[in-house]
Amino acid sequence: MSSFFVLPGQYEDLARDEIVAISKSYDPKTKFKAEPRLVILNTKTSWKKIAAKATFVRNCGDIVGTFDDVSKINPQIPKPKSFVCRTINLSKKKLSPSLLERQAGEVLKKRWGSKVSLSNPNLTIYLIITDSKQYIGCADSKIEPKMPTKVIKHPHELDLKLSRCIVNLSQLKEGNTLLDPFCGTGTILLQAESMKIKAIGIDYDGIMCNITRKNLQANKFSSKVINSTYHEMQNIRNKIDGIVTDLPYGISSKSSISPKKLIQDFVSTIPKRKKLVLVYKKGLDIPELEKAKKYEIYRHKSLTRVIAVR
Ligand SMILES: C[S@@+](CC[C@H](N)C(=O)[O-])C[C@H]1O[C@@H](n2cnc3c(N)ncnc32)[C@H](O)[C@@H]1O
């Protein structure tokens, strides 16, 4: 079964790899085809399951055919009670979306004998135009991820969306256990638990641990929070399936160790064969992460974050 996911213009690589990672976490044999701002997945995982987790998706659904000539459009699906046609033009072609939608609507109305409903259709038919192909997609609902709430914030926190994305890049899924050994205000734990991933947080700052606990309580979540240094990881290494974390960006008032030394020491102690997603400030790269897949997120002139997936 093929499904499609339309991506935003920003963070396109990250958005695409997040979708592929979610699908692979359920179906390791997932195949994908990437086009500008579009991913077509060949997977056993339903698009709804992926959409409920994915951070950046715009539109998604099943692929039910391709077309060259809209007057011959023929999606291979049972006829819906009512439908609407929508154009997604991802190509450089200049075309009239409303004309294309009207033409497709007339053909399908005749073929199916179904009503066109602009406001409350049972099915949306997507005419997805790329420079290489014209796909027909369909979706009977719009699925969006349910984000956790955060009652206490902090200037150094990672934003909720990026946190969700990095949890998904780890390919951890329901029932797995994630460790964030630098949990701060708990953003990564919140996103993990919102997707039914068990989570454990560590932070050496007791104030941060309390903020995390309050943020978890506000969502009725029960992730464990340990007030200790990341070395505590060694005592729980057998309980965790992966590590997703956002490392300190500067020398903290509570430790004299430089961020570079910290990342070096931390990475050298990570248990082998655990899934690993790290966020750190650009410039703190270390040889141990040379082979990791990396993404850069520009924040402002003195902060570009690197996401490394190993
Ligand atoms: C960049 S912040 C994490 C922010 C977090 N992702 C959030 O959204 O709030 C890094 C955290 O690492 C903690 N930290 C610094 N050194 C540590 C150490 N040696 N062991 C454990 N935690 C440490 C700091 O207290 C800080 O809360």
Side-chain angles (χ1 to χ4, degrees):
M1 192 71 176
S2 291
S3 46
F4 72 93
F5 298 84
V6 178
L7 311 174
Q10 209 189 8
Y11 306 138
E12 195 179 326
D13 283 7
L14 205 55
R16 181 200 56 227
D17 290 355
E18 182 193 18
I19 289 160
V20 174
I22 298 169
S23 181
K24 281 191 173 169
S25 72
Y26 297 110
D27 175 8
K29 290 191 178 146
T30 295
K31 297 254 179 331
F32 73 95
K33 178 178 170 194
E35 296 209 38
R37 296 205 35 218
L38 183 72
V39 195
I40 307 284
L41 286 189
N42 211 304
T43 175
K44 286 185 191 144
T45 317
S46 86
W47 65 267
K48 292 183 184 180
K49 202 165 177 172
I50 298 170
K53 288 185 153 193
T55 317
F56 301 112
V57 170
R58 291 276 166 87
N59 295 99
C60 47
D62 286 317
I63 289 285
V64 288
T66 55
F67 69 100
D68 292 318
D69 176 354
V70 74
S71 68
K72 295 190 182 128
I73 191 167
N74 190 11
Q76 298 304 301
I77 43 173
K79 68 174 192 178
K81 260 197 182 147
S82 64
F83 71 99
V84 68
C85 293
R86 296 275 175 239
T87 306
I88 301 176
N89 184 11
L90 305 173
S91 74
K92 294 186 197 85
K93 292 174 218 162
K94 282 214 167 72
L95 44 85
S96 162
S98 54
L99 180 64
L100 203 60
E101 286 158 11
R102 230 177 309 127
Q103 288 173 329
E106 273 163 26
V107 174
L108 294 176
K109 202 169 141 186
K110 229 188 210 165
R111 178 162 288 135
W112 286 333
S114 310
K115 270 194 310 189
V116 170
S117 165
L118 298 182
S119 56
N120 193 21
N122 291 110
L123 195 72
T124 301
I125 297 289
Y126 291 101
L127 309 167
I128 307 162
I129 320 287
T130 73
D131 283 316
S132 65
K133 235 176 179 167
Q134 307 199 128
Y135 300 93
I136 313 168
C138 81
D140 59 6
S141 53
K142 190 149 174 77
I143 310 283
E144 279 177 7
K146 201 169 165 277
M147 290 281 176
T149 50
K150 206 155 173 207
V151 287
I152 308 183
K153 295 177 174 264
H154 192 276
H156 298 149
E157 70 188 8
L158 203 59
D159 67 74
L160 272 166
K161 279 192 159 189
L162 200 54
S163 299
R164 187 173 190 94
C165 176
I166 62 170
V167 171
N168 285 328
L169 286 174
S170 74
Q171 293 190 30
L172 293 173
K173 58 173 189 275
E174 294 87 339
N176 288 150
T177 301
L178 170 152
L179 171 68
D180 178 356
F182 301 90
C183 71
T185 57
T187 328
I188 292 169
L189 308 183
L190 291 173
Q191 287 294 16
E193 204 170 335
S194 78
M195 293 187 280
K196 301 196 164 46
I197 297 166
K198 294 178 210 155
I200 303 173
I202 300 175
D203 202 293
Y204 80 160
D205 185 336
I207 296 172
M208 294 313 244
C209 290
N210 285 336
I211 294 178
T212 290
R213 288 187 188 107
K214 285 189 181 132
N215 280 328
L216 289 166
Q217 273 161 18
N219 291 274
K220 300 196 166 58
F221 288 167
S222 57
S223 298
K224 195 172 172 190
V225 183
I226 306 168
N227 184 198
S228 183
T229 67
Y230 61 85
H231 303 98
E232 183 67 25
M233 179 170 72
Q234 301 312 330
N235 299 328
I236 52 172
R237 54 190 297 148
N238 297 330
K239 290 188 187 149
I240 60 172
D241 300 293
I243 294 161
V244 180
T245 197
D246 170 31
L247 288 141
Y249 300 138
I251 295 178
S252 156
S253 52
K254 296 212 172 187
S255 80
S256 53
I257 183 168
S258 75
K260 185 119 186 170
K261 268 212 166 108
L262 187 138
I263 184 168
Q264 247 156 4
D265 180 59
F266 169 63
V267 170
S268 71
T269 59
I270 289 173
K272 294 267 168 324
R273 287 195 291 276
K274 300 281 181 201
K275 295 181 173 165
L276 178 65
V277 182
L278 295 183
V279 179
Y280 55 89
K281 191 176 173 180
K282 190 176 175 184
L284 296 178
D285 305 82
I286 54 166
E288 287 84 345
L289 294 173
E290 213 165 47
K291 288 193 183 138
K293 169 101 202 217
K294 297 198 186 90
Y295 310 83
E296 288 191 5
I297 308 277
Y298 175 85
R299 273 285 135 168
H300 49 73
K301 69 176 182 346
S302 45
L303 178 60
T304 295
R305 288 187 169 113
V306 177
I307 299 173
V309 183
R310 194 181 76 179

